Structures are given as structure tokens and as C-alpha cells.
Amino acid sequence: DVCSSDLIEGWRNRQEGPCASIYMTPKADDAQNLARYLGVDEKDIVVLNPRKTPFCFNIFQLPPYKNAEDREWLVGIMVSNFLDFVYEIYGSNLENAVQMVRIMRGLLLCLYVLSDAPTFYDLYDLALKLFTGTAQADIEDLKKKLTAKGRHDLIKVLEGIEKIAPPNFNPLLNRLESIVTNLQLYRLLCGPSTIDIDDWLPPGRV
């Protein structure tokens, strides 16, 4: 699959010196087999099984930062990396992802103004409000918060998204609903992170 292929390629082309990688799969055996294929010592393989060891990993949660400029840079990196992943998942159907990625990028940037740790549920909730058009008071409140933060640029982005035809929201809502309505995935991805990746994955681990 896309993830394992990229991981293998990354390890093959890595610069000299230790590195660490994360591989997420529904089957733990796949992760262990991949790590062995990469030549990783078994003691350096960390397997997190949410059914055996409950945990939450919010992929949008910002790492520690020093100042506002550092934070802004991190937000850009987090959003860009996530959207790159979305593009890779779509592959040859890239044209079908353009509007969805536009909506995702704009909404994530707005959510990051409000929080260091937006979640898939926050993204779903905001997208649903824009899709239904029935929570205008909440959208206006968001615009006021963006104004208070001096983010007039994001107000324009949000207003642009409001003009997108509702059917274009369906691909995004369909994928987000598959996460927020699945209790296991919700617990795994829609709360504050309970694990520290830096602690779990020092250089050389998978």
C-alpha cells in the first residue's frame, strides 16, 4: 500500500545515521513483518494495539513550540503533510480530491487559530455546519474569533468555502463520518494525545 511503500523507500534512501518511522495498519502482524523486512531489531519495534492498550493519537496536535512565529511554521507543516497524505491516497483520482483538499486546508487553518490540538471531530463538525447552513450563528462566532486574532485572510478563506456547492462537501463528510461514528476510531483519533511520539520512537525504532 501507499504507506508501506513510502516507508520502505524512505528507509532505503535515508541519510547515514539513525532515524525512526511510524506505520499505521489495522493488522499488527503487518507492522511487525514490515519492520523485520526493513532490518529493524525486534527490540526496537513498538506495537500499539488500541484494543489491548487504549490510547489516543491526535495527528493534528502541535508539538511544543517557542513563540508565535514557530507555531505558525508548525501549523503550515502539519497541514501540508496531512494534505500530501490525502493526495497520495487519491493517486490517479486526484481531480476528485481538489475541492475536498481546498475545504480541508481552509477549515484546518481556521481550527488551528482556536486550538493547538484540533481533531477529526472538530473538522467534521465545522464542515457539517457549513454543509447544512443551519448553524450560521456558530460560523459568525468563528469569524469574530478570527477577527480578534487578526486573521482577516482566513475570514476570506471561510467565506469562499461557504460559497462552495453543498455536494462538494460530500466526499469530505463521508470520510470524516467513517471516523467520528466509529467508536474505536473516535477514541483513537478524536481526543488529546495520550502518548508522546518522541518518547516512544527515539532514532532507530519503528
Side-chain angles (χ1 to χ4, degrees):
D1 58 32
V2 172
C3 297
S4 59
S5 299
D6 286 350
L7 182 55
I8 292 170
E9 188 68 18
W11 272 72
R12 285 175 175 171
N13 296 328
R14 71 186 187 279
Q15 297 178 347
E16 291 186 9
C19 64
S21 297
I22 300 172
Y23 177 56
M24 299 179 70
T25 173
K27 294 183 271 185
D29 288 346
D30 286 352
Q32 291 172 309
N33 292 335
L34 177 61
R36 294 190 188 100
Y37 177 79
L38 295 172
V40 180
D41 194 298
E42 194 150 332
K43 67 179 176 60
D44 290 324
I45 302 173
V46 177
V47 177
L48 296 175
N49 186 332
R51 296 186 66 183
K52 296 180 179 180
T53 308
F55 68 93
C56 184
F57 179 46
N58 181 3
I59 66 170
F60 298 120
Q61 188 164 318
L62 293 178
Y65 53 87
K66 298 177 181 178
N67 50 47
E69 183 178 351
D70 191 25
R71 183 186 189 280
E72 193 64 27
W73 179 80
L74 285 171
V75 168
I77 293 295
M78 297 286 277
V79 173
S80 178
N81 286 346
F82 177 70
L83 295 181
D84 284 346
F85 172 73
V86 172
Y87 275 127
E88 288 195 36
I89 292 297
Y90 268 80
S92 59
N93 294 317
L94 190 61
E95 67 278 2
N96 296 328
V98 173
Q99 283 284 46
M100 185 175 75
V101 167
R102 179 191 173 192
I103 296 170
M104 277 180 140
R105 178 187 292 111
L107 299 189
L108 278 173
L109 290 173
C110 289
L111 290 170
Y112 269 121
V113 172
L114 308 179
S115 171
D116 284 350
T119 66
F120 276 111
Y121 180 81
D122 296 328
L123 184 60
Y124 169 74
D125 184 57
L126 182 52
L128 187 63
K129 287 174 179 177
L130 290 166
F131 171 73
T132 61
T134 58
Q136 197 57 38
D138 290 340
I139 300 302
E140 291 303 317
D141 183 59
L142 173 58
K143 290 178 181 178
K144 289 179 182 178
K145 291 177 179 177
L146 293 174
T147 299
K149 295 284 187 178
R151 296 307 303 265
H152 303 286
D153 56 327
L154 291 181
I155 292 176
K156 291 182 178 180
V157 169
L158 190 59
E159 289 174 344
I161 293 174
E162 286 182 284
K163 296 176 182 178
I164 294 176
N168 289 308
F169 281 82
N170 286 328
L172 173 60
L173 290 172
N174 182 50
R175 282 154 183 80
L176 292 176
E177 281 179 354
S178 68
I179 295 174
V180 302
T181 60
N182 182 310
L183 187 57
Q184 184 170 323
L185 288 177
Y186 183 89
R187 289 171 176 168
L188 178 64
L189 299 170
C190 295
S193 292
T194 58
I195 58 174
D196 189 326
I197 294 299
D198 290 336
D199 288 340
W200 279 96
L201 288 179
R205 283 190 176 178
V206 171

